[in-house]
Amino acid sequence: MMIKCLSFLAALLYLGTSFFSAVAQPVDGGHARVELLSERETVTPGETVWFGLSFEMDPEWHIYWKNAGDAGIPPAMFWDDNTSVDEAAFGEISWPLPELIPVVEGEIMDYGYSDTIVLPFPVEIPSDATEALRFGGTVDYLICKDICIPESVEVETFVNVGETQVPDIDGGERIAAALADVPPAFEGDAALSRSGDTWLLSIAGDQIAGSVGPARFFPETHDIVHAVDQPAEFGEAGLQLQLTPDSDERPDQLAGIIRIDTGEGEPVAFNLAAQPGEALAGTTGTKGPDSAATSGQAGSSLIILLGAALLGGLILNLMPCVLPVLSIKAIGMVQAAASGHQGELRKHGLWYTGGVLISFAAIGAVFLTLRAAGQFVSLGFQLQYPAVVAGLALLMVIIGLWLLGVFSLGTSVQNVGSGLADKRGSVGAFFTGVLAAVVGAPCVGPFVGIALGAVLDDPWPVVMGVFLILGFGLALPFLVLSFVPGLHKSLPKPGAWMERLKQAFAFPMFLTAAWLITVLGNHPAAGATAFGAVILSFGLWLVSVAGGKLRAPVLVIGGVLALVGIVWPVMTGLEDAPTSQTSESYASVQTEPWSPERVDDLIGEGRGVFVDFTASWCATCQVNKRSTLTRPDVLDAMADANVAFLVADFTRNDETIAAELKKRGSPGVPMYLLYGPGDSDPEVLPVLLNPGLMKRKLGALGGAAP
């Protein structure tokens, strides 16, 4: 009877522990399902058993290897107090072969894992273990896609203790597969030598002799620059890799993994530790399949991108926000041409080009600085700051008043008149170029957007090259006009018409000022700028008419009013913008403010979603809005397809919108996303919309709707 009772209790204990084991399910940390695996259901005392941390990641997300590379943190396990064995019983993780994760080409390279991965580690079972063992704790890991998110999950599992091993079939197979991906130790020789400014890692041994293919060394430390090519040569005994050191000091040992993609099934990979020494014999002679072909392709792509940037810069000359500024330059060119001094005309062209290029270089430098700081910035970002917009609007008012002849700024700024030989005229040409670049930057055309979108994550020389070519394209027409012999003669002769034309150009300036005020939207700076423009104009008028006995006080009053008219709007622009968002009702569709959560909700409801990433200062956005997105037939098609219309307003800086633009590889607004019913992967529509395109896309969704 006693034996039966003990057997019954043992059965209950077994069932209980089996139940615990059965409920050890993956834990969802947000972007990865994490599970603690064991290769045994029942272990024997004193044996070493393999466990594993399993990660099943969302598509395109990744975690990190033990050396994360330029950025990132490897996963870490923290065992809790209820774990049945001491921490000393846990062995180190045996890391499977990692992947290369290029974050910014040529600048940031990470090492890690995507999709699914199991990180195996051994555990020594206590020799005196008699009861079921519990293993549990917290797994901390950094998981990244376009952004990085630290996640943390609580995991646990149980194993029984008995006299006979009982395998966990599923856990054992997954752990065994992970261990098979752990590179074995290299049994040959590895040496690290210096060659000028680079290091040579030479590896020789039977395990790799005769292996040829793209090779890569994954260092366990940060002794080398991660984000550069590693040119390889192969010999009959092995290979040699050229590494770029991160510092002048050569380490006592360089450990890591060598991987060779031979093109025959799985890559060849080994763990090795190279010691300082002479380059090994038999490791050179045949140049490896380096990046020559890829470089050629990249070079061709870069030429295409620069060509697109040049074309985009030329198109900028036709943009409405640039034309008023170019009108100033046009008048100067007419005057210069009338003088008959080709050299002076060329000087004006060069100074103007210099102003444009320096301005675009400055914008590019800000772009790269913010990118290095982990922020997203797009062309036109300067118009996200109300103080800047207010200042630009008032500058347009000042220029407009000058064009009307309300006051004179002198030849240094006018850049017109008979003082073509005057050096100050060159300064005027230079600042005309600066103004054209600053005001025209947000009017990016489709070519500009494509070019910038393609190089957002490229090395800084490529990004800066694109910005400079953009500027060169903007300046090119005037540069050609300045340098092509005889071309300047095609310009009309100066005369009284020029004064009338100059005055007429004042009104595009006022229109630009009005447009900039509309960009301010509901910000308090909008009203301050409108009234400030009037005060400023009155002040400048007083200054221009001051004379007689009251000249001094009138000048003072006029100067004070002009100063107030500028300072008040700019200071108001520094105030925080209202945070309220409003929706807009079109003919048959009610728009809603965009948020990732709202998109998820709508997709969960099985609805399609159209997202308009826009800004009031974005000329292309406003053209698309008026030509397509407010048309009744387009909105009816949207309603028929049961597609929700969300608006992401980037008029003011918004980190969430910036992250989404960066995630989609867009250099800024506009960007249009169209989600199918229940589909979380959107289609990115062209930046130039038309009603036909929209109705076709929406009609296709209507057909696919459940």
Side-chain angles (χ1 to χ4, degrees), residues 77-107:
M77 179 74 201
F78 301 93
W79 300 103
D80 61 27
D81 294 338
N82 294 324
T83 295
S84 303
V85 302
D86 294 334
E87 287 201 17
F90 292 93
E92 298 291 330
I93 291 175
S94 291
W95 297 87
L97 180 64
E99 309 166 15
L100 284 178
I101 303 173
V103 179
V104 177
E105 187 177 350
E107 293 185 19

Side-chain angles (χ1 to χ4, degrees), residues 302-367:
L302 180 60
I303 291 173
I304 294 173
L305 285 173
L306 294 179
L310 180 65
L311 185 58
L314 289 168
I315 291 175
L316 275 178
N317 286 282
L318 305 176
M319 289 296 167
C321 43
V322 182
L323 277 175
V325 180
L326 296 186
S327 65
I328 302 173
K329 186 60 196 165
I331 293 175
M333 295 295 289
V334 169
Q335 291 281 4
S339 73
H341 299 294
Q342 183 69 33
E344 196 63 32
L345 191 61
R346 290 175 179 173
K347 189 164 68 174
H348 272 247
L350 289 174
W351 276 98
Y352 171 76
T353 303
V356 172
L357 292 181
I358 288 177
S359 300
F360 270 83
I363 296 172
V366 172
F367 176 92

Side-chain angles (χ1 to χ4, degrees), residues 55 94 96 166 275 311 375 486 550 631 639:
F55 295 82
S94 291
V166 177
Q275 310 297 327
L311 185 58
Q375 298 186 28
L550 296 178
R631 281 177 58 113

Side-chain angles (χ1 to χ4, degrees), residues 270-646:
F270 298 96
N271 268 299
L272 59 83
Q275 310 297 327
E278 297 297 325
L280 300 175
T283 57
T284 60
T286 302
K287 192 173 182 180
D290 57 17
S291 57
T294 304
S295 298
Q297 187 176 6
S300 301
S301 300
L302 180 60
I303 291 173
I304 294 173
L305 285 173
L306 294 179
L310 180 65
L311 185 58
L314 289 168
I315 291 175
L316 275 178
N317 286 282
L318 305 176
M319 289 296 167
C321 43
V322 182
L323 277 175
V325 180
L326 296 186
S327 65
I328 302 173
K329 186 60 196 165
I331 293 175
M333 295 295 289
V334 169
Q335 291 281 4
S339 73
H341 299 294
Q342 183 69 33
E344 196 63 32
L345 191 61
R346 290 175 179 173
K347 189 164 68 174
H348 272 247
L350 289 174
W351 276 98
Y352 171 76
T353 303
V356 172
L357 292 181
I358 288 177
S359 300
F360 270 83
I363 296 172
V366 172
F367 176 92
L368 290 167
T369 301
L370 293 178
R371 189 185 74 173
Q375 298 186 28
F376 176 79
V377 62
S378 63
L379 270 185
F381 66 91
Q382 65 268 38
L383 297 187
Q384 292 179 329
Y385 302 96
V388 175
V389 177
L392 284 173
L394 295 171
L395 179 60
M396 294 299 161
V397 171
I398 293 173
I399 294 174
L401 293 173
W402 162 68
L403 290 170
L404 281 177
V406 172
F407 68 97
S408 172
L409 292 175
T411 55
S412 61
V413 177
Q414 291 178 22
N415 192 23
V416 295
S418 59
L420 291 175
D422 190 344
K423 183 179 179 180
R424 293 175 299 175
S426 300
V427 177
F430 176 83
F431 283 106
T432 303
V434 172
L435 191 60
V438 172
V439 177
C443 288
V444 293
F447 294 103
V448 183
I450 293 171
L452 280 178
V455 300
L456 274 180
D457 295 331
D458 278 5
W460 72 266
V462 177
V463 175
M464 185 58 76
V466 168
F467 272 96
L468 290 176
I469 293 297
L470 270 172
F472 184 72
L474 175 60
L476 188 58
F478 286 107
L479 198 61
V480 171
L481 197 62
S482 303
F483 275 82
V484 175
L487 189 59
H488 67 283
K489 295 179 181 177
S490 62
L491 294 173
K493 302 295 182 184
W497 64 270
M498 288 190 59
E499 186 61 23
R500 301 289 178 268
L501 182 63
K502 191 180 87 168
Q503 293 173 354
F505 280 151
F507 296 97
M509 291 295 176
F510 294 141
L511 285 175
T512 304
W515 168 68
L516 287 168
I517 291 175
T518 64
V519 167
L520 292 168
N522 62 346
H523 194 282
T529 305
F531 286 104
V534 177
I535 297 171
L536 170 64
S537 302
F538 182 59
L540 291 175
W541 176 77
L542 283 180
V543 170
S544 66
V545 299
K549 295 181 180 178
L550 296 178
R551 183 174 185 275
V554 171
L555 279 176
V556 170
I557 294 173
V560 169
L561 287 175
L563 190 62
V564 170
I566 295 174
V567 173
W568 174 40
V570 172
M571 295 303 295
T572 306
L574 297 176
E575 298 177 3
D576 293 335
T579 56
S580 62
Q581 295 188 28
T582 58
S583 58
E584 193 169 355
S585 178
Y586 295 146
S588 52
V589 174
Q590 181 80 30
T591 67
E592 301 178 52
W594 169 86
S595 72
E597 294 79 14
R598 184 55 182 154
V599 171
D600 291 341
D601 290 343
L602 291 166
I603 291 175
E605 295 171 8
R607 296 188 62 186
V609 182
F610 174 76
V611 188
D612 175 12
F613 290 81
T614 184
S616 61
W617 43 261
C618 167
T620 307
C621 305
Q622 301 310 312
V623 169
N624 285 333
K625 180 179 177 180
R626 286 166 174 74
S627 67
T628 303
L629 297 180
T630 55
R631 281 177 58 113
D633 53 343
V634 172
L635 296 169
D636 288 345
M638 198 173 290
D640 293 343
N642 193 26
V643 171
F645 191 159
L646 305 187

